[in-house]
Amino acid sequence: IFVPIVRDAIGARKTRFTNQIFPQSGRYVQVITEDGKIPDATVSLLEHYIRINHMRNNLMPALMKAGDVEGQYTVYVDWATRTRDVAYRVEEPAAIGMSDLPDPDEKVEVIKEETIKIGYPTVEVINDNDLLVLPATASSIDDALEQGGSVTVIRRWQKGTIEEKIKTREIEEEAGQELLASLAKESENQRRDTARQMIDAAGIKRDSQGDHVLVYETWTKITYKGQRRIYKIYFAGADRFLSCKRNPFWSDRIPVISCAVDKVSGSFKGKSLVEPVATSQYAANDAANEGMDSAAFAMLPIVMTDPEKNPHVGSLVLSMAAIWMTSPKDTQFAQFPQLWKDALELVGAHRAQIMTSLSVNPAAMTQQTSSKKPTQADVANEQQIDVLTTADAVSVIEEGILTPMLHRMLELDHQFRDKKITIYQHGLMGIKANMEKVSPTMLNTTHYIKWFGVESARNAQQVQQQIAAANVLRGIPPQLYPGYQLDLSPLIVQLVENSFGPNLAPLVFKDLKDQLTVDPWQENEMLVRGEDLPVHGLDNLAQHMQAHIEALQASGDPHGTIMMHLMRHRIVASQMVPQSEGVPGTPGGAGPGIPGQGGTGNPGTPRIGAQPGQATG
């Protein structure tokens, strides 16, 4: 029997931390600019890349588990290019000789093929065993490179990967062909030689997935022609050299991002969180097995009898409807002690210690409470401890991994993406992404990007206090704060987004900047693709409707989106009537009842200075 205490603890930490890093609001990226304007296109683009990499379901759980077991978070951010050969139907005018009909407007259906090239940043989790940073006393990767050290990552290449590296000239052709020949020669030898597998001088390994080559990707600074620059070097063993090229990234940063879970002074890498509780796991497992061994005997009774007074001992063997030919006074029953109960108590004690050491769910653990049933204040205190513990743990990965990863993504996008990209998941946000470009030299100066998931979950705990503070501020007369102006718009935007999420919040509380008109012909391109677009408040209705009618006649509206968009234009045109009834601050309107302003007040609105009550636990 194996008692998976550590496994359950790591799974609980993974679930709790991942949910806080990726909040339910769906907003993970925050961009701070010097002018206060949020570049929505940049935020949308980065979140698009996050979804492409499936970071919520694939990458982050693996990274959290690797950090707990190994004590180190390490990711590798690179740019990948994928191609697809797609086919689609289009209608074209019939060519001469294709049809006997005299109609010049006849169209035929043609199958066309097109190669689509898609590029996006990729994120890969690196195991701690595959990472070497020299010197080991460096405080960070940049510090190691500045000290003349190096950063090495182990790569496992198969035949197809080597051929692709030769084709893209990432490794030297002669060295690559020699490596392929060595790999083919090793593949011919099907005998399993354990001693030979332990020797990696040639870099050739064999496992259940087939033969592969261990390649060491090393980043270090080299002085060449009087200039000291970062170079990328490939080795396949101690004396097999593949290539040495200058850092290919414009930002002059290496793609390896690593930080310790629990930083140790004087060392680059941290200690494993599982190592201190390993002996407790072994002890709990031994106690469980010993308890189950005793439980097998505890379920069987012991029969004590005197063989002299009971000559028919053989009849005492248990069987269905057995008759024991002996005196009841000469036979006595006994039972093994139930040691499995003590074993389960030992397992529970070790479980509690492991959960405490790994900071798993402290709100559910017994605290220093005087009463048997915790009070509401005790529950609130324990929940606050849980929030602070979680926030402290995820802040390490936010500052050390996620925020630098976003910067790498934007730098790679600026370097490698040479075509416009339409983010279909965001509708009109794709248009903004096409129009906005951010130079990497402007990063950390005019633009500061950070991971917002942790802050979003942390801010959710402060929503009640924000509402209370806003309610107090709106009741303070302006003459009491001369030289200042009260603007609650940022607070309202944050509250609405926390409540409804980034998809619904812009529809509930609209920004006037998003009401700017879009070229109708650009809208036609998106409508023909089947995208559903809203009607902007500043659209020239006559011009837009005319352009959409022409697109409807030309394309036939295969998805029905053009007709739906036209109907929305007509509805907006019919509703463009001035209305003044029911507007707060106007005769007959009902306002919030702020002192010094018009309005009779709305029932149910909080009074000035009202504070929301505490949660009931």
Side-chain angles (χ1 to χ4, degrees):
I1 296 175
F2 176 73
V3 185
I5 302 177
V6 173
R7 173 190 173 276
D8 296 342
I10 294 177
R13 288 172 57 89
K14 176 202 70 175
T15 302
R16 184 175 60 175
F17 297 160
T18 302
N19 286 331
Q20 182 155 356
I21 292 174
F22 293 88
Q24 296 181 355
S25 63
R27 177 59 62 89
Y28 312 135
V29 181
Q30 183 183 25
V31 180
I32 303 174
T33 60
E34 61 179 5
D35 55 1
K37 298 179 180 179
I38 300 177
D40 294 331
T42 303
V43 175
S44 177
L45 181 66
L46 291 175
E47 292 183 351
H48 173 66
Y49 286 151
I50 291 172
R51 278 184 288 270
I52 287 181
N53 285 276
H54 304 284
M55 292 187 61
R56 173 63 179 82
N57 299 325
N58 296 341
L59 186 135
M60 190 53 59
L63 184 62
M64 298 304 303
K65 289 188 289 186
D68 290 344
V69 176
E70 301 171 345
Q72 194 79 12
Y73 297 126
T74 305
V75 296
Y76 191 99
V77 184
D78 201 356
W79 185 267
T81 303
R82 304 288 185 264
T83 57
R84 292 185 299 154
D85 297 324
V86 299
Y88 54 93
R89 296 184 179 92
V90 295
E91 289 186 354
E92 293 184 349
I96 299 176
M98 292 183 59
S99 175
D100 298 332
L101 297 178
D103 187 4
D105 296 332
E106 180 190 5
K107 293 184 178 181
V108 295
E109 191 177 79
V110 181
I111 304 297
K112 284 193 173 183
E113 294 184 358
E114 182 181 356
T115 300
I116 299 178
K117 185 178 180 181
I118 304 174
Y120 56 89
T122 59
V123 184
E124 175 189 1
V125 177
I126 301 296
N127 294 328
D128 186 57
N129 293 336
D130 295 340
L131 174 68
L132 173 64
V133 177
L134 295 176
T137 57
S139 59
S140 63
I141 288 181
D142 294 336
D143 182 41
L145 296 177
E146 288 297 329
Q147 294 184 26
S150 62
V151 178
T152 302
V153 178
I154 292 182
R155 294 298 187 184
R156 293 166 178 84
W157 291 354
Q158 294 184 341
K159 179 181 178 181
T161 306
I162 300 174
E163 293 175 348
E164 182 65 23
K165 296 294 183 181
I166 296 175
K167 182 179 179 181
T168 58
R169 298 183 179 180
E170 195 165 350
I171 63 176
E172 301 295 334
E173 182 176 2
E174 182 179 355
Q177 295 295 342
E178 182 183 353
L179 196 60
L180 286 174
S182 301
L183 184 62
K185 182 178 180 181
E186 183 70 16
S187 300
E188 293 177 358
N189 184 10
Q190 299 297 330
R191 294 183 297 107
R192 182 177 180 84
D193 191 347
T194 305
R196 185 167 184 171
Q197 287 186 349
M198 298 299 295
I199 301 175
D200 63 345
I204 307 296
K205 293 291 183 180
R206 176 186 290 117
D207 56 11
S208 59
Q209 299 179 354
D211 295 339
H212 60 269
V213 180
L214 285 183
V215 177
Y216 302 90
E217 177 184 327
T218 300
W219 300 80
T220 186
K221 282 192 172 184
I222 299 177
T223 302
Y224 180 69
K225 293 183 178 181
Q227 295 182 348
R228 187 170 179 81
R229 297 289 186 267
I230 297 179
Y231 282 80
K232 180 181 180 180
I233 310 171
Y234 280 121
F235 296 98
D239 52 358
R240 190 184 296 271
F241 169 76
L242 298 180
S243 69
C244 177
K245 296 185 178 182
R246 186 178 167 180
N247 187 359
F249 302 114
W250 290 356
S251 62
D252 202 30
R253 302 176 189 267
I254 70 173
V256 181
I257 304 175
S258 180
C259 73
V261 178
D262 189 7
K263 183 68 174 177
V264 178
S265 178
S267 174
F268 174 78
K269 293 188 176 182
K271 291 185 177 180
S272 170
L273 301 182
V274 175
E275 182 181 0
V277 299
T279 54
S280 297
Q281 171 68 67
Y282 302 149
N285 202 65
D286 293 342
N289 282 273
E290 292 172 359
M292 291 302 101
D293 289 341
S294 66
F297 295 98
M299 290 186 293
L300 299 176
I302 303 174
V303 181
M304 296 181 294
T305 183
D306 188 352
E308 294 182 355
K309 298 181 179 180
N310 180 18
H312 304 284
V313 179
S315 64
L316 298 182
V317 178
L318 184 63
S319 62
M320 296 299 293
I323 300 177
W324 291 5
M325 295 177 293
T326 180
S327 173
K329 299 180 180 180
D330 299 333
T331 304
Q332 184 178 359
F333 286 90
Q335 190 174 8
F336 277 102
Q338 297 181 350
L339 300 179
W340 58 272
K341 294 183 178 180
D342 299 331
L344 291 182
E345 292 181 1
L346 289 175
V347 173
H350 288 298
R351 180 188 298 273
Q353 180 59 50
I354 292 175
M355 295 297 179
T356 302
S357 300
L358 294 179
S359 300
V360 175
N361 198 12
M365 298 176 60
T366 304
Q367 303 292 331
Q368 298 295 330
T369 55
S370 57
S371 59
K372 295 182 179 179
K373 182 179 179 181
T375 62
Q376 180 179 348
D378 296 330
V379 173
N381 186 28
E382 294 172 5
Q383 291 177 347
Q384 184 67 18
I385 293 174
D386 182 42
V387 170
L388 295 177
T389 304
T390 305
D392 179 70
V394 297
S395 295
V396 175
I397 191 172
E398 177 197 70
E399 297 178 1
I401 299 295
L402 298 177
T403 296
M405 179 194 69
L406 294 177
H407 284 260
R408 298 290 200 283
M409 284 185 173
L410 198 58
E411 292 165 353
L412 293 174
D413 176 82
H414 175 80
Q415 176 179 352
F416 293 102
R417 183 168 66 88
D418 54 358
K419 296 182 179 180
K420 294 182 179 181
I421 179 175
T422 302
I423 303 173
Y424 299 101
Q425 291 86 341
H426 290 75
L428 293 179
M429 198 65 71
I431 300 177
K432 296 181 180 180
N434 288 339
M435 296 186 296
E436 182 176 354
K437 294 182 179 179
V438 178
S439 173
T441 57
M442 305 298 291
L443 294 176
N444 294 324
T445 55
T446 59
H447 291 70
Y448 176 71
I449 303 173
K450 65 176 298 185
W451 188 272
F452 187 64
V454 178
E455 293 295 332
S456 177
R458 192 178 301 170
N459 290 342
Q461 306 295 328
Q462 303 174 357
V463 170
Q464 293 292 336
Q465 297 298 328
Q466 292 175 0
I467 295 176
N471 193 31
V472 174
L473 288 175
R474 73 187 186 96
I476 301 177
Q479 57 269 21
L480 295 183
Y481 45 90
Y484 290 88
Q485 181 182 3
L486 180 62
D487 184 9
L488 297 180
S489 299
L491 175 62
I492 298 175
V493 170
Q494 185 66 41
L495 292 178
V496 173
E497 186 168 313
N498 289 340
S499 302
F500 301 104
N503 296 326
L504 187 58
L507 304 178
V508 177
F509 197 70
K510 296 184 178 180
D511 189 354
L512 294 179
K513 294 183 297 183
D514 295 335
Q515 302 300 315
L516 298 179
T517 183
V518 180
D519 183 71
W521 303 107
Q522 193 171 5
E523 286 187 347
N524 287 341
E525 296 179 2
M526 303 179 70
L527 291 171
V528 170
R529 290 198 301 261
E531 298 186 37
D532 191 14
L533 302 179
V535 175
H536 293 74
L538 299 181
D539 282 349
N540 187 332
L541 297 181
Q543 179 186 7
H544 275 248
M545 293 178 68
Q546 180 63 30
H548 298 330
I549 291 174
E550 294 179 7
L552 178 64
Q553 295 174 352
S555 64
D557 197 10
H559 302 283
T561 52
I562 301 179
M563 181 59 69
M564 181 64 67
H565 193 71
L566 273 172
M567 293 298 298
R568 290 175 178 172
H569 273 296
R570 293 169 183 171
I571 294 174
V572 172
S574 63
Q575 293 178 348
M576 294 183 63
V577 180
Q579 298 179 0
S580 60
E581 297 182 358
V583 179
T586 61
I594 299 178
Q597 300 183 13
T600 58
N602 288 329
T605 57
R607 292 175 297 176
I608 300 300
Q611 297 266 351
Q614 296 293 331
T616 59

